PDB file of all heavy atoms in Angstrom:
ATOM      1  N   GLY A 221       2.306  -7.602  -3.709  1.00  0.00           N
ATOM      2  CA  GLY A 221       0.862  -7.619  -3.610  1.00  0.00           C
ATOM      3  C   GLY A 221       0.381  -6.590  -2.621  1.00  0.00           C
ATOM      4  O   GLY A 221       0.939  -6.421  -1.569  1.00  0.00           O
ATOM      5  N   VAL A 222      -0.735  -5.967  -3.024  1.00  0.00           N
ATOM      6  CA  VAL A 222      -1.274  -4.880  -2.177  1.00  0.00           C
ATOM      7  C   VAL A 222      -1.772  -5.340  -0.801  1.00  0.00           C
ATOM      8  O   VAL A 222      -1.732  -4.617   0.143  1.00  0.00           O
ATOM      9  CB  VAL A 222      -2.383  -4.209  -3.006  1.00  0.00           C
ATOM     10  CG1 VAL A 222      -3.594  -5.086  -3.214  1.00  0.00           C
ATOM     11  CG2 VAL A 222      -2.858  -2.927  -2.271  1.00  0.00           C
ATOM     12  N   SER A 223      -2.125  -6.621  -0.679  1.00  0.00           N
ATOM     13  CA  SER A 223      -2.585  -7.135   0.570  1.00  0.00           C
ATOM     14  C   SER A 223      -1.452  -7.326   1.578  1.00  0.00           C
ATOM     15  O   SER A 223      -1.719  -7.513   2.746  1.00  0.00           O
ATOM     16  CB  SER A 223      -3.311  -8.436   0.397  1.00  0.00           C
ATOM     17  OG  SER A 223      -4.440  -8.241  -0.444  1.00  0.00           O
ATOM     18  N   SER A 224      -0.234  -7.169   1.180  1.00  0.00           N
ATOM     19  CA  SER A 224       0.889  -7.335   2.085  1.00  0.00           C
ATOM     20  C   SER A 224       1.416  -6.049   2.634  1.00  0.00           C
ATOM     21  O   SER A 224       2.495  -6.070   3.256  1.00  0.00           O
ATOM     22  CB  SER A 224       2.048  -8.072   1.294  1.00  0.00           C
ATOM     23  OG  SER A 224       1.625  -9.295   0.792  1.00  0.00           O
ATOM     24  N   TRP A 225       0.758  -4.965   2.488  1.00  0.00           N
ATOM     25  CA  TRP A 225       1.167  -3.652   2.919  1.00  0.00           C
ATOM     26  C   TRP A 225       1.574  -3.593   4.418  1.00  0.00           C
ATOM     27  O   TRP A 225       2.444  -2.830   4.801  1.00  0.00           O
ATOM     28  CB  TRP A 225       0.094  -2.564   2.605  1.00  0.00           C
ATOM     29  CG  TRP A 225      -1.128  -2.671   3.375  1.00  0.00           C
ATOM     30  CD1 TRP A 225      -2.246  -3.339   3.052  1.00  0.00           C
ATOM     31  CD2 TRP A 225      -1.372  -2.044   4.657  1.00  0.00           C
ATOM     32  NE1 TRP A 225      -3.258  -3.219   4.000  1.00  0.00           N
ATOM     33  CE2 TRP A 225      -2.808  -2.343   5.018  1.00  0.00           C
ATOM     34  CE3 TRP A 225      -0.705  -1.230   5.503  1.00  0.00           C
ATOM     35  CZ2 TRP A 225      -3.326  -2.009   6.187  1.00  0.00           C
ATOM     36  CZ3 TRP A 225      -1.253  -0.803   6.705  1.00  0.00           C
ATOM     37  CH2 TRP A 225      -2.526  -1.191   7.042  1.00  0.00           C
ATOM     38  N   ARG A 226       0.913  -4.412   5.291  1.00  0.00           N
ATOM     39  CA  ARG A 226       1.168  -4.335   6.718  1.00  0.00           C
ATOM     40  C   ARG A 226       2.662  -4.682   7.051  1.00  0.00           C
ATOM     41  O   ARG A 226       3.196  -4.296   8.048  1.00  0.00           O
ATOM     42  CB  ARG A 226       0.194  -5.243   7.511  1.00  0.00           C
ATOM     43  CG  ARG A 226      -1.159  -4.685   7.522  1.00  0.00           C
ATOM     44  CD  ARG A 226      -2.123  -5.575   8.266  1.00  0.00           C
ATOM     45  NE  ARG A 226      -3.508  -5.076   8.276  1.00  0.00           N
ATOM     46  CZ  ARG A 226      -4.369  -5.289   7.287  1.00  0.00           C
ATOM     47  NH1 ARG A 226      -4.009  -5.921   6.166  1.00  0.00           N
ATOM     48  NH2 ARG A 226      -5.555  -4.736   7.280  1.00  0.00           N
ATOM     49  N   PHE A 227       3.244  -5.520   6.198  1.00  0.00           N
ATOM     50  CA  PHE A 227       4.665  -5.896   6.423  1.00  0.00           C
ATOM     51  C   PHE A 227       5.577  -4.672   6.410  1.00  0.00           C
ATOM     52  O   PHE A 227       6.672  -4.689   6.981  1.00  0.00           O
ATOM     53  CB  PHE A 227       5.136  -6.903   5.403  1.00  0.00           C
ATOM     54  CG  PHE A 227       4.521  -8.231   5.542  1.00  0.00           C
ATOM     55  CD1 PHE A 227       3.680  -8.759   4.533  1.00  0.00           C
ATOM     56  CD2 PHE A 227       4.795  -9.011   6.658  1.00  0.00           C
ATOM     57  CE1 PHE A 227       3.132 -10.027   4.662  1.00  0.00           C
ATOM     58  CE2 PHE A 227       4.187 -10.287   6.777  1.00  0.00           C
ATOM     59  CZ  PHE A 227       3.353 -10.776   5.826  1.00  0.00           C
ATOM     60  N   LEU A 228       5.138  -3.633   5.711  1.00  0.00           N
ATOM     61  CA  LEU A 228       6.019  -2.367   5.631  1.00  0.00           C
ATOM     62  C   LEU A 228       5.667  -1.386   6.668  1.00  0.00           C
ATOM     63  O   LEU A 228       6.403  -0.348   6.795  1.00  0.00           O
ATOM     64  CB  LEU A 228       5.825  -1.780   4.166  1.00  0.00           C
ATOM     65  CG  LEU A 228       6.260  -2.618   3.053  1.00  0.00           C
ATOM     66  CD1 LEU A 228       6.008  -1.931   1.704  1.00  0.00           C
ATOM     67  CD2 LEU A 228       7.767  -2.935   3.239  1.00  0.00           C
ATOM     68  N   LEU A 229       4.627  -1.576   7.418  1.00  0.00           N
ATOM     69  CA  LEU A 229       4.189  -0.557   8.412  1.00  0.00           C
ATOM     70  C   LEU A 229       5.294  -0.201   9.413  1.00  0.00           C
ATOM     71  O   LEU A 229       5.652   0.956   9.629  1.00  0.00           O
ATOM     72  CB  LEU A 229       2.906  -0.954   9.072  1.00  0.00           C
ATOM     73  CG  LEU A 229       2.270   0.099   9.888  1.00  0.00           C
ATOM     74  CD1 LEU A 229       1.907   1.334   9.066  1.00  0.00           C
ATOM     75  CD2 LEU A 229       0.993  -0.433  10.539  1.00  0.00           C
ATOM     76  N   GLN A 230       5.746  -1.207  10.136  1.00  0.00           N
ATOM     77  CA  GLN A 230       6.796  -0.938  11.242  1.00  0.00           C
ATOM     78  C   GLN A 230       8.074  -0.403  10.677  1.00  0.00           C
ATOM     79  O   GLN A 230       8.570   0.546  11.174  1.00  0.00           O
ATOM     80  CB  GLN A 230       6.979  -2.154  12.067  1.00  0.00           C
ATOM     81  CG  GLN A 230       5.803  -2.449  12.934  1.00  0.00           C
ATOM     82  CD  GLN A 230       5.402  -1.308  13.854  1.00  0.00           C
ATOM     83  OE1 GLN A 230       6.229  -0.643  14.466  1.00  0.00           O
ATOM     84  NE2 GLN A 230       4.060  -1.119  13.926  1.00  0.00           N
ATOM     85  N   PRO A 231       8.643  -0.987   9.560  1.00  0.00           N
ATOM     86  CA  PRO A 231       9.878  -0.401   9.004  1.00  0.00           C
ATOM     87  C   PRO A 231       9.693   1.016   8.619  1.00  0.00           C
ATOM     88  O   PRO A 231      10.522   1.884   8.772  1.00  0.00           O
ATOM     89  CB  PRO A 231      10.206  -1.338   7.811  1.00  0.00           C
ATOM     90  CG  PRO A 231       9.524  -2.576   8.072  1.00  0.00           C
ATOM     91  CD  PRO A 231       8.262  -2.260   8.864  1.00  0.00           C
ATOM     92  N   THR A 232       8.514   1.339   8.025  1.00  0.00           N
ATOM     93  CA  THR A 232       8.236   2.703   7.516  1.00  0.00           C
ATOM     94  C   THR A 232       8.187   3.658   8.736  1.00  0.00           C
ATOM     95  O   THR A 232       8.744   4.741   8.707  1.00  0.00           O
ATOM     96  CB  THR A 232       6.861   2.677   6.767  1.00  0.00           C
ATOM     97  OG1 THR A 232       6.997   1.900   5.621  1.00  0.00           O
ATOM     98  CG2 THR A 232       6.589   4.185   6.320  1.00  0.00           C
ATOM     99  N   ILE A 233       7.473   3.313   9.728  1.00  0.00           N
ATOM    100  CA  ILE A 233       7.369   4.110  10.943  1.00  0.00           C
ATOM    101  C   ILE A 233       8.790   4.388  11.601  1.00  0.00           C
ATOM    102  O   ILE A 233       9.068   5.477  12.000  1.00  0.00           O
ATOM    103  CB  ILE A 233       6.382   3.587  11.955  1.00  0.00           C
ATOM    104  CG1 ILE A 233       4.920   3.652  11.343  1.00  0.00           C
ATOM    105  CG2 ILE A 233       6.471   4.305  13.292  1.00  0.00           C
ATOM    106  CD1 ILE A 233       3.932   2.842  12.138  1.00  0.00           C
ATOM    107  N   LYS A 234       9.504   3.322  11.569  1.00  0.00           N
ATOM    108  CA  LYS A 234      10.917   3.432  12.109  1.00  0.00           C
ATOM    109  C   LYS A 234      11.746   4.429  11.281  1.00  0.00           C
ATOM    110  O   LYS A 234      12.595   5.074  11.869  1.00  0.00           O
ATOM    111  CB  LYS A 234      11.507   1.986  12.105  1.00  0.00           C
ATOM    112  CG  LYS A 234      12.651   1.849  13.076  1.00  0.00           C
ATOM    113  CD  LYS A 234      13.113   0.435  13.128  1.00  0.00           C
ATOM    114  CE  LYS A 234      13.933   0.176  14.312  1.00  0.00           C
ATOM    115  NZ  LYS A 234      14.255  -1.246  14.448  1.00  0.00           N
ATOM    116  N   LEU A 235      11.583   4.478  10.039  1.00  0.00           N
ATOM    117  CA  LEU A 235      12.323   5.371   9.162  1.00  0.00           C
ATOM    118  C   LEU A 235      11.904   6.851   9.293  1.00  0.00           C
ATOM    119  O   LEU A 235      12.639   7.743   8.924  1.00  0.00           O
ATOM    120  CB  LEU A 235      12.203   4.964   7.668  1.00  0.00           C
ATOM    121  CG  LEU A 235      12.895   3.675   7.229  1.00  0.00           C
ATOM    122  CD1 LEU A 235      12.464   3.245   5.899  1.00  0.00           C
ATOM    123  CD2 LEU A 235      14.371   3.867   7.334  1.00  0.00           C
ATOM    124  N   LYS A 236      10.718   7.078   9.857  1.00  0.00           N
ATOM    125  CA  LYS A 236      10.221   8.420  10.053  1.00  0.00           C
ATOM    126  C   LYS A 236      10.203   9.351   8.838  1.00  0.00           C
ATOM    127  O   LYS A 236      10.636  10.503   8.919  1.00  0.00           O
ATOM    128  CB  LYS A 236      10.954   9.084  11.209  1.00  0.00           C
ATOM    129  CG  LYS A 236      10.867   8.350  12.551  1.00  0.00           C
ATOM    130  CD  LYS A 236      11.733   9.021  13.594  1.00  0.00           C
ATOM    131  CE  LYS A 236      11.742   8.147  14.859  1.00  0.00           C
ATOM    132  NZ  LYS A 236      12.508   8.662  15.883  1.00  0.00           N
ATOM    133  N   PRO A 237       9.609   8.896   7.749  1.00  0.00           N
ATOM    134  CA  PRO A 237       9.498   9.783   6.590  1.00  0.00           C
ATOM    135  C   PRO A 237       8.431  10.848   6.884  1.00  0.00           C
ATOM    136  O   PRO A 237       7.548  10.687   7.675  1.00  0.00           O
ATOM    137  CB  PRO A 237       9.078   8.852   5.496  1.00  0.00           C
ATOM    138  CG  PRO A 237       8.242   7.753   6.163  1.00  0.00           C
ATOM    139  CD  PRO A 237       8.935   7.577   7.529  1.00  0.00           C
ATOM    140  N   LYS A 238       8.472  11.945   6.092  1.00  0.00           N
ATOM    141  CA  LYS A 238       7.420  12.911   6.175  1.00  0.00           C
ATOM    142  C   LYS A 238       6.186  12.459   5.388  1.00  0.00           C
ATOM    143  O   LYS A 238       5.072  12.784   5.666  1.00  0.00           O
ATOM    144  CB  LYS A 238       7.938  14.227   5.622  1.00  0.00           C
ATOM    145  CG  LYS A 238       8.869  14.842   6.539  1.00  0.00           C
ATOM    146  CD  LYS A 238       9.388  16.163   6.060  1.00  0.00           C
ATOM    147  CE  LYS A 238      10.448  16.678   7.027  1.00  0.00           C
ATOM    148  NZ  LYS A 238      10.823  18.042   6.783  1.00  0.00           N
ATOM    149  N   ARG A 239       6.457  11.694   4.270  1.00  0.00           N
ATOM    150  CA  ARG A 239       5.379  11.303   3.370  1.00  0.00           C
ATOM    151  C   ARG A 239       5.688   9.889   2.843  1.00  0.00           C
ATOM    152  O   ARG A 239       6.874   9.577   2.560  1.00  0.00           O
ATOM    153  CB  ARG A 239       5.250  12.205   2.225  1.00  0.00           C
ATOM    154  CG  ARG A 239       4.171  11.767   1.189  1.00  0.00           C
ATOM    155  CD  ARG A 239       4.162  12.619  -0.092  1.00  0.00           C
ATOM    156  NE  ARG A 239       3.702  13.940   0.221  1.00  0.00           N
ATOM    157  CZ  ARG A 239       3.817  14.992  -0.638  1.00  0.00           C
ATOM    158  NH1 ARG A 239       4.460  14.844  -1.760  1.00  0.00           N
ATOM    159  NH2 ARG A 239       3.320  16.111  -0.280  1.00  0.00           N
ATOM    160  N   VAL A 240       4.608   9.101   2.740  1.00  0.00           N
ATOM    161  CA  VAL A 240       4.714   7.797   2.090  1.00  0.00           C
ATOM    162  C   VAL A 240       3.925   7.852   0.771  1.00  0.00           C
ATOM    163  O   VAL A 240       2.776   8.304   0.830  1.00  0.00           O
ATOM    164  CB  VAL A 240       4.151   6.680   2.981  1.00  0.00           C
ATOM    165  CG1 VAL A 240       3.967   5.389   2.218  1.00  0.00           C
ATOM    166  CG2 VAL A 240       5.070   6.423   4.197  1.00  0.00           C
ATOM    167  N   VAL A 241       4.543   7.476  -0.295  1.00  0.00           N
ATOM    168  CA  VAL A 241       3.821   7.383  -1.616  1.00  0.00           C
ATOM    169  C   VAL A 241       3.682   5.977  -1.993  1.00  0.00           C
ATOM    170  O   VAL A 241       4.685   5.259  -2.111  1.00  0.00           O
ATOM    171  CB  VAL A 241       4.645   8.133  -2.667  1.00  0.00           C
ATOM    172  CG1 VAL A 241       3.984   8.120  -4.076  1.00  0.00           C
ATOM    173  CG2 VAL A 241       4.886   9.619  -2.248  1.00  0.00           C
ATOM    174  N   ILE A 242       2.441   5.606  -2.218  1.00  0.00           N
ATOM    175  CA  ILE A 242       2.141   4.248  -2.557  1.00  0.00           C
ATOM    176  C   ILE A 242       1.823   4.221  -4.171  1.00  0.00           C
ATOM    177  O   ILE A 242       1.010   5.024  -4.618  1.00  0.00           O
ATOM    178  CB  ILE A 242       0.955   3.671  -1.831  1.00  0.00           C
ATOM    179  CG1 ILE A 242       1.223   3.719  -0.325  1.00  0.00           C
ATOM    180  CG2 ILE A 242       0.607   2.318  -2.277  1.00  0.00           C
ATOM    181  CD1 ILE A 242       0.070   3.277   0.536  1.00  0.00           C
ATOM    182  N   GLY A 243       2.452   3.374  -4.828  1.00  0.00           N
ATOM    183  CA  GLY A 243       2.279   3.206  -6.235  1.00  0.00           C
ATOM    184  C   GLY A 243       1.680   1.798  -6.559  1.00  0.00           C
ATOM    185  O   GLY A 243       2.475   0.938  -6.678  1.00  0.00           O
ATOM    186  N   PHE A 244       0.378   1.696  -6.603  1.00  0.00           N
ATOM    187  CA  PHE A 244      -0.275   0.411  -6.941  1.00  0.00           C
ATOM    188  C   PHE A 244      -0.179   0.223  -8.473  1.00  0.00           C
ATOM    189  O   PHE A 244      -0.140   1.073  -9.218  1.00  0.00           O
ATOM    190  CB  PHE A 244      -1.736   0.512  -6.565  1.00  0.00           C
ATOM    191  CG  PHE A 244      -1.997   0.764  -5.127  1.00  0.00           C
ATOM    192  CD1 PHE A 244      -2.440   2.003  -4.668  1.00  0.00           C
ATOM    193  CD2 PHE A 244      -1.706  -0.175  -4.163  1.00  0.00           C
ATOM    194  CE1 PHE A 244      -2.649   2.319  -3.392  1.00  0.00           C
ATOM    195  CE2 PHE A 244      -1.924   0.101  -2.786  1.00  0.00           C
ATOM    196  CZ  PHE A 244      -2.438   1.337  -2.433  1.00  0.00           C
ATOM    197  N   ASP A 245      -0.179  -1.148  -8.830  1.00  0.00           N
ATOM    198  CA  ASP A 245      -0.218  -1.405 -10.243  1.00  0.00           C
ATOM    199  C   ASP A 245      -1.456  -0.782 -10.883  1.00  0.00           C
ATOM    200  O   ASP A 245      -2.548  -0.748 -10.177  1.00  0.00           O
ATOM    201  CB  ASP A 245      -0.209  -2.910 -10.471  1.00  0.00           C
ATOM    202  CG  ASP A 245       1.171  -3.569 -10.363  1.00  0.00           C
ATOM    203  OD1 ASP A 245       2.122  -2.760 -10.144  1.00  0.00           O
ATOM    204  OD2 ASP A 245       1.257  -4.814 -10.407  1.00  0.00           O
ATOM    205  N   ALA A 246      -1.428  -0.392 -12.114  1.00  0.00           N
ATOM    206  CA  ALA A 246      -2.456   0.373 -12.744  1.00  0.00           C
ATOM    207  C   ALA A 246      -3.714  -0.497 -12.932  1.00  0.00           C
ATOM    208  O   ALA A 246      -4.798   0.035 -13.061  1.00  0.00           O
ATOM    209  CB  ALA A 246      -1.933   0.887 -14.146  1.00  0.00           C
ATOM    210  N   ASP A 247      -3.596  -1.852 -12.881  1.00  0.00           N
ATOM    211  CA  ASP A 247      -4.787  -2.651 -13.101  1.00  0.00           C
ATOM    212  C   ASP A 247      -5.753  -2.534 -11.918  1.00  0.00           C
ATOM    213  O   ASP A 247      -6.823  -3.025 -12.003  1.00  0.00           O
ATOM    214  CB  ASP A 247      -4.391  -4.036 -13.385  1.00  0.00           C
ATOM    215  CG  ASP A 247      -3.680  -4.846 -12.287  1.00  0.00           C
ATOM    216  OD1 ASP A 247      -3.271  -4.164 -11.279  1.00  0.00           O
ATOM    217  OD2 ASP A 247      -3.523  -6.053 -12.381  1.00  0.00           O
ATOM    218  N   ALA A 248      -5.317  -1.877 -10.778  1.00  0.00           N
ATOM    219  CA  ALA A 248      -6.297  -1.646  -9.670  1.00  0.00           C
ATOM    220  C   ALA A 248      -7.393  -0.798 -10.148  1.00  0.00           C
ATOM    221  O   ALA A 248      -8.526  -0.875  -9.568  1.00  0.00           O
ATOM    222  CB  ALA A 248      -5.526  -0.962  -8.570  1.00  0.00           C
ATOM    223  N   GLN A 249      -7.198  -0.010 -11.215  1.00  0.00           N
ATOM    224  CA  GLN A 249      -8.282   0.824 -11.737  1.00  0.00           C
ATOM    225  C   GLN A 249      -9.311   0.044 -12.530  1.00  0.00           C
ATOM    226  O   GLN A 249     -10.511   0.450 -12.589  1.00  0.00           O
ATOM    227  CB  GLN A 249      -7.682   1.933 -12.585  1.00  0.00           C
ATOM    228  CG  GLN A 249      -6.730   2.826 -11.750  1.00  0.00           C
ATOM    229  CD  GLN A 249      -5.881   3.717 -12.745  1.00  0.00           C
ATOM    230  OE1 GLN A 249      -6.475   4.408 -13.502  1.00  0.00           O
ATOM    231  NE2 GLN A 249      -4.560   3.672 -12.511  1.00  0.00           N
ATOM    232  N   SER A 250      -8.883  -0.975 -13.249  1.00  0.00           N
ATOM    233  CA  SER A 250      -9.836  -1.737 -14.039  1.00  0.00           C
ATOM    234  C   SER A 250     -10.323  -3.001 -13.365  1.00  0.00           C
ATOM    235  O   SER A 250     -11.398  -3.555 -13.801  1.00  0.00           O
ATOM    236  CB  SER A 250      -9.138  -2.091 -15.396  1.00  0.00           C
ATOM    237  OG  SER A 250      -8.015  -2.933 -15.135  1.00  0.00           O
ATOM    238  N   LYS A 251      -9.631  -3.428 -12.345  1.00  0.00           N
ATOM    239  CA  LYS A 251     -10.118  -4.637 -11.600  1.00  0.00           C
ATOM    240  C   LYS A 251     -10.660  -4.238 -10.268  1.00  0.00           C
ATOM    241  O   LYS A 251     -10.168  -4.581  -9.216  1.00  0.00           O
ATOM    242  CB  LYS A 251      -8.895  -5.588 -11.414  1.00  0.00           C
ATOM    243  CG  LYS A 251      -8.349  -6.185 -12.703  1.00  0.00           C
ATOM    244  CD  LYS A 251      -7.208  -7.092 -12.401  1.00  0.00           C
ATOM    245  CE  LYS A 251      -6.645  -7.709 -13.724  1.00  0.00           C
ATOM    246  NZ  LYS A 251      -5.476  -8.548 -13.438  1.00  0.00           N
ATOM    247  N   GLU A 252     -11.738  -3.398 -10.350  1.00  0.00           N
ATOM    248  CA  GLU A 252     -12.301  -2.844  -9.125  1.00  0.00           C
ATOM    249  C   GLU A 252     -12.750  -3.874  -8.089  1.00  0.00           C
ATOM    250  O   GLU A 252     -12.640  -3.593  -6.919  1.00  0.00           O
ATOM    251  CB  GLU A 252     -13.432  -1.929  -9.478  1.00  0.00           C
ATOM    252  CG  GLU A 252     -13.032  -0.676 -10.293  1.00  0.00           C
ATOM    253  CD  GLU A 252     -14.177   0.140 -10.709  1.00  0.00           C
ATOM    254  OE1 GLU A 252     -15.228   0.246  -9.987  1.00  0.00           O
ATOM    255  OE2 GLU A 252     -14.111   0.688 -11.813  1.00  0.00           O
ATOM    256  N   GLU A 253     -13.278  -4.964  -8.523  1.00  0.00           N
ATOM    257  CA  GLU A 253     -13.854  -5.924  -7.587  1.00  0.00           C
ATOM    258  C   GLU A 253     -12.827  -6.758  -6.885  1.00  0.00           C
ATOM    259  O   GLU A 253     -13.086  -7.373  -5.861  1.00  0.00           O
ATOM    260  CB  GLU A 253     -14.821  -6.818  -8.358  1.00  0.00           C
ATOM    261  CG  GLU A 253     -16.126  -6.135  -8.700  1.00  0.00           C
ATOM    262  CD  GLU A 253     -16.860  -5.552  -7.467  1.00  0.00           C
ATOM    263  OE1 GLU A 253     -17.001  -6.259  -6.455  1.00  0.00           O
ATOM    264  OE2 GLU A 253     -17.239  -4.407  -7.594  1.00  0.00           O
ATOM    265  N   SER A 254     -11.575  -6.747  -7.402  1.00  0.00           N
ATOM    266  CA  SER A 254     -10.524  -7.554  -6.721  1.00  0.00           C
ATOM    267  C   SER A 254      -9.416  -6.593  -6.243  1.00  0.00           C
ATOM    268  O   SER A 254      -9.356  -6.279  -5.045  1.00  0.00           O
ATOM    269  CB  SER A 254     -10.003  -8.640  -7.674  1.00  0.00           C
ATOM    270  OG  SER A 254      -9.511  -8.064  -8.953  1.00  0.00           O
ATOM    271  N   VAL A 255      -8.548  -6.235  -7.119  1.00  0.00           N
ATOM    272  CA  VAL A 255      -7.408  -5.391  -6.779  1.00  0.00           C
ATOM    273  C   VAL A 255      -7.891  -4.055  -6.302  1.00  0.00           C
ATOM    274  O   VAL A 255      -7.359  -3.572  -5.256  1.00  0.00           O
ATOM    275  CB  VAL A 255      -6.449  -5.221  -7.990  1.00  0.00           C
ATOM    276  CG1 VAL A 255      -5.239  -4.393  -7.567  1.00  0.00           C
ATOM    277  CG2 VAL A 255      -5.989  -6.528  -8.559  1.00  0.00           C
ATOM    278  N   GLY A 256      -8.863  -3.455  -6.893  1.00  0.00           N
ATOM    279  CA  GLY A 256      -9.412  -2.166  -6.414  1.00  0.00           C
ATOM    280  C   GLY A 256      -9.866  -2.219  -4.999  1.00  0.00           C
ATOM    281  O   GLY A 256      -9.578  -1.320  -4.192  1.00  0.00           O
ATOM    282  N   LYS A 257     -10.563  -3.229  -4.641  1.00  0.00           N
ATOM    283  CA  LYS A 257     -10.992  -3.385  -3.169  1.00  0.00           C
ATOM    284  C   LYS A 257      -9.838  -3.573  -2.226  1.00  0.00           C
ATOM    285  O   LYS A 257      -9.823  -2.969  -1.175  1.00  0.00           O
ATOM    286  CB  LYS A 257     -11.951  -4.581  -3.054  1.00  0.00           C
ATOM    287  CG  LYS A 257     -13.386  -4.292  -3.602  1.00  0.00           C
ATOM    288  CD  LYS A 257     -14.298  -5.449  -3.317  1.00  0.00           C
ATOM    289  CE  LYS A 257     -15.694  -5.124  -3.743  1.00  0.00           C
ATOM    290  NZ  LYS A 257     -16.655  -6.208  -3.502  1.00  0.00           N
ATOM    291  N   ALA A 258      -8.820  -4.227  -2.657  1.00  0.00           N
ATOM    292  CA  ALA A 258      -7.641  -4.459  -1.827  1.00  0.00           C
ATOM    293  C   ALA A 258      -6.868  -3.107  -1.703  1.00  0.00           C
ATOM    294  O   ALA A 258      -6.360  -2.785  -0.572  1.00  0.00           O
ATOM    295  CB  ALA A 258      -6.716  -5.439  -2.405  1.00  0.00           C
ATOM    296  N   VAL A 259      -6.885  -2.276  -2.744  1.00  0.00           N
ATOM    297  CA  VAL A 259      -6.280  -0.948  -2.606  1.00  0.00           C
ATOM    298  C   VAL A 259      -7.022  -0.063  -1.648  1.00  0.00           C
ATOM    299  O   VAL A 259      -6.345   0.590  -0.828  1.00  0.00           O
ATOM    300  CB  VAL A 259      -6.229  -0.306  -4.042  1.00  0.00           C
ATOM    301  CG1 VAL A 259      -5.932   1.191  -3.946  1.00  0.00           C
ATOM    302  CG2 VAL A 259      -5.151  -0.979  -4.935  1.00  0.00           C
TER     303      VAL A 259
END
């Protein structure tokens, strides 16, 4: 779930990547009022 992104913040920072690529489920584009807002 997109609302759980904060759980990955510290592990990601610890890994020190140059770039983070987020791939949200495609329904974020059609469900603007729910998933889209969370994205």
Side-chain angles (χ1 to χ4, degrees):
V222 65
S223 299
S224 302
W225 68 270
R226 286 179 185 83
F227 291 114
L228 296 179
L229 189 58
Q230 288 306 317
T232 300
I233 291 169
K234 201 172 198 176
L235 289 168
K236 300 178 184 176
K238 292 181 182 189
R239 177 188 291 166
V240 167
V241 178
I242 301 176
F244 303 106
D245 282 354
D247 65 350
Q249 299 167 51
S250 61
K251 295 180 180 177
E252 294 177 34
E253 288 302 311
S254 55
V255 182
K257 283 185 178 180
V259 165

